[in-house]
Amino acid sequence: MHQGSLRYSEADQQYVTACIGRTPQGVVGVAARRPTGEPSVIINLPLLPHIETWQPFPTLYWLVDPDLNKRISDIERKGGVRETEQAIASDTALEVAHRADNVFYAMARWAVLNEKEKQAAQALGMQDTLEHAGIGGVANHNTIKCLHAQYAFHLARREKGTTVGKLMQQRFGL
């Protein structure tokens, strides 16, 4: 079992498969659950074995909750990424906290890999990206790529939450 993973059952897999329309690959656990018990966020390996090589998988924490996905898609369509980036850029404390969230995410991504997977990442020249890219794979930790990835990480952090996740709750009523 990979470090930090929470139990992922056959029932969880069936639910997630129904939500996303295919069987997910590389799931190592459930990071957050809906109030009814089904997974809302799953944890994925950032590097997946593929035939004779490895493939990067961009999403460590994957928001699979269909209701939240729809709501966040609506927020993104209405300019929510730009609005959230502007809110962060206008407040130094939020900016510092958001950069720290990205660093923590990158550390979590690297930590979920076992030694064999870390060696594969090194051999493929992916170690730097896996160790340093932020939420959603951003190189610039001041930016936001995807509110779904941001909110998935927020839910995975449980009580602590994240800067963007808290802003999304305040501004968009999540």
Side-chain angles (χ1 to χ4, degrees):
M1 187 62 84
H2 284 79
Q3 180 180 358
S5 64
L6 304 172
R7 195 171 79 68
Y8 182 70
S9 69
E10 180 62 35
D12 292 336
Q13 179 157 318
Q14 290 173 1
Y15 175 79
V16 171
T17 298
C19 287
I20 66 171
R22 64 180 173 79
T23 303
Q25 302 299 307
V27 178
V28 295
V30 177
R33 292 188 179 275
R34 295 169 56 110
T36 52
E38 300 90 354
S40 58
V41 177
I42 56 176
I43 306 166
N44 289 285
L45 285 174
L47 196 60
L48 302 175
H50 182 73
I51 306 172
E52 294 181 16
T53 187
W54 297 80
Q55 285 187 321
F57 188 79
T59 307
L60 176 62
Y61 299 106
W62 186 353
L63 184 67
V64 296
D65 183 304
D67 299 326
L68 284 174
N69 272 320
K70 182 182 180 324
R71 290 177 67 194
I72 292 170
S73 291
D74 291 343
I75 292 166
E76 285 186 344
R77 263 192 299 282
K78 295 174 184 174
V81 170
R82 184 176 53 254
E83 181 181 331
T84 306
E85 279 183 331
Q86 289 171 346
I88 289 170
S90 68
D91 184 318
T92 303
L94 291 178
E95 204 170 36
V96 168
H98 178 59
R99 282 196 306 269
D101 289 340
N102 277 282
V103 169
F104 187 86
Y105 184 95
M107 291 179 355
R109 179 192 307 111
W110 186 250
V112 78
L113 295 172
N114 65 31
E115 283 308 310
K116 179 181 176 183
E117 294 156 348
K118 287 178 180 179
Q119 290 172 1
Q122 292 166 341
L124 293 167
M126 294 181 187
Q127 180 177 352
D128 188 59
T129 299
L130 292 174
E131 279 190 299
H132 301 291
I135 303 162
V138 296
N140 178 348
H141 290 184
N142 290 325
T143 61
I144 297 170
K145 181 177 181 181
C146 170
L147 292 178
H148 295 84
Q150 291 283 339
Y151 206 68
F153 184 42
H154 173 75
L155 293 175
R157 299 267 338 250
R158 298 184 177 60
E159 294 81 30
K160 173 116 175 90
T162 64
T163 307
V164 170
K166 291 173 187 173
L167 281 172
M168 289 173 68
Q169 289 175 329
Q170 293 167 358
R171 290 176 175 260
F172 308 118
L174 291 178

